[in-house]
Amino acid sequence: MTIFFSGSLYGKEQFGDRYEKIVELVKDQGHQILADHILGTTHEQIQQRAAKDDAKQFKKILDNIKKSDAVFVELSHASTSVGFFIAQAISLGKPVIIFFGGTQEPHILKSLESFSERMAVVRYRDTLDLEREVPLMLDFVAESQDTRFNFFVSPGIASYLDWISKEKRIPRSVYLRKLIDEDMAENEEYIKE
């Protein structure tokens, strides 16, 4: 898979080690990650760049989002441009994984009008959490590319799934897959086959 990674350039000084850890973990899992626009650039370089070059870089970033399979974002430091990239990815139907450290949820999450089925939010404390969560989120992305299965549920079930999605910050589909996986693991008739 190809993952597009983004984060705040202003926040890179404080959170750059986290950016690098996420990129490293994605590579360790055997995936390609597009992150040079963040890891290979400083805020000073962007300020010195001519407007023409800035437009080219912006187009390149949008093209990278389009050709990626998913978008990973480290959002411990909020950024309007990163919010735009998230909205762009969602509009293209890309899975979006938002990582953030700390207890304060980034305000930009509140401005997303709809919580996409293909978006997950990961709150982490340290790099050990990242080591556990990044592979899980790569699995989530891979699963989101699997076969689509639609079915109807009662209004009560739909309400509960909406509550789970909002409160637990996990997509409804991830929750349902988890329940099915747990049932499969405990179903002795299925295991014998």
Side-chain angles (χ1 to χ4, degrees):
M1 281 189 297
T2 300
I3 306 295
F4 175 84
F5 175 80
S6 193
S8 167
L9 275 175
Y10 285 108
K12 191 168 103 171
E13 185 175 315
Q14 184 178 358
F15 303 108
D17 58 328
R18 297 174 186 187
Y19 296 5
E20 290 172 4
K21 185 65 174 179
I22 292 169
V23 169
E24 172 192 321
L25 290 166
V26 170
K27 287 180 180 177
D28 287 349
Q29 294 290 312
H31 303 288
Q32 178 184 9
I33 187 158
L34 308 171
D36 287 345
H37 61 283
I38 292 295
L39 296 183
T41 307
T42 64
H43 181 67
E44 293 77 24
Q45 288 172 322
I46 287 180
Q47 287 181 326
Q48 294 171 359
R49 201 164 42 205
K52 181 177 82 172
D53 294 333
D54 208 29
K56 283 182 188 176
Q57 179 66 15
F58 189 73
K59 183 183 179 332
K60 182 180 176 186
I61 289 171
L62 293 179
D63 288 344
N64 282 341
I65 292 172
K66 288 177 188 173
K67 75 178 185 181
S68 69
D69 295 303
V71 172
F72 279 24
V73 175
E74 206 298 330
L75 204 58
S76 295
H77 187 279
S79 164
T80 305
S81 60
V82 174
F84 175 78
F85 298 149
I86 292 169
Q88 186 69 24
I90 289 171
S91 73
L92 291 169
K94 304 285 182 182
V96 176
I97 311 300
I98 299 171
F99 297 91
F100 72 94
T103 56
Q104 281 296 98
E105 186 173 277
H107 70 298
I108 201 162
L109 293 178
K110 294 176 181 91
S111 67
L112 293 172
E113 289 181 11
S114 64
F115 187 75
S116 170
E117 277 286 316
R118 303 184 72 167
M119 186 173 89
V121 178
V122 178
R123 181 179 300 170
Y124 67 93
R125 291 183 307 270
D126 52 32
T127 56
L128 290 176
D129 285 347
L130 285 175
E131 288 173 9
R132 186 183 69 250
E133 294 294 337
V134 169
L136 289 173
M137 291 301 104
L138 287 167
D139 288 345
F140 167 69
V141 168
E143 286 177 9
S144 72
Q145 296 173 342
D146 289 343
T147 304
R148 185 170 187 88
F149 179 70
N150 294 328
F151 64 99
F152 295 100
V153 295
S154 69
I157 291 173
S159 175
Y160 179 72
L161 291 173
D162 288 342
W163 179 84
I164 286 288
S165 179
K166 182 179 177 191
E167 293 299 316
K168 303 293 184 183
R169 301 299 289 173
I170 60 171
R172 294 178 293 267
S173 59
V174 171
Y175 176 73
L176 291 172
R177 273 194 299 276
K178 178 182 171 218
L179 290 178
I180 293 169
D181 286 341
E182 288 171 359
D183 187 59
M184 284 171 48
E186 295 174 7
N187 190 325
E188 292 180 20
E189 289 179 54
Y190 177 76
I191 294 170
K192 289 178 185 177
E193 288 185 13

